[in-house]
Amino acid sequence: MQTLANFGDGGPGPWILLFPVIWALVIGGGIALLRRTVWRGRRGGTWRQPPAGNDSPITVLGHRFASGEIDEDEYWRRLSVLNEEFGRKGGAA
């Protein structure tokens, strides 16, 4: 350490310790950037859309109502029929 601080005789001085810190910050920043962008897509974060196989009749009906293809009365009428057929099990009989 004494040789680093010996900048009076032409040595690099304590500034030589700054370069490893800079490289550590650059590498850490690169890893943080990759984690926030590229690697997040592989884990399946909450922002991803549901898989394309989710095409149950109740979901399709909901999409049709949301897009304006059917009105509210028709939506509720069809939903009641679909709930009897595809709805939650274990209801009161």
Side-chain angles (χ1 to χ4, degrees), residues 61-69:
L61 180 66
H63 288 297
R64 289 185 63 199
F65 176 65
S67 67
E69 291 180 35

Side-chain angles (χ1 to χ4, degrees), residues 20-90:
V21 171
I22 290 174
W23 277 111
L25 289 174
V26 167
I27 292 171
I31 290 173
L33 182 68
L34 286 173
R35 288 189 69 193
R36 294 186 64 84
T37 57
V38 177
W39 293 341
R40 178 173 282 180
R42 293 184 185 163
R43 284 189 302 179
T46 57
W47 54 270
R48 295 183 74 187
Q49 293 180 351
N54 190 7
D55 55 350
S56 70
I58 295 175
T59 304
V60 172
L61 180 66
H63 288 297
R64 289 185 63 199
F65 176 65
S67 67
E69 291 180 35
I70 58 175
D71 63 348
E72 186 177 3
D73 292 332
E74 186 175 355
Y75 171 75
W76 288 113
R77 189 172 59 247
R78 290 182 181 206
L79 184 62
S80 65
V81 172
L82 288 175
N83 274 334
E84 291 175 9
E85 204 50 49
F86 299 101
R88 296 183 182 137
K89 306 293 185 214

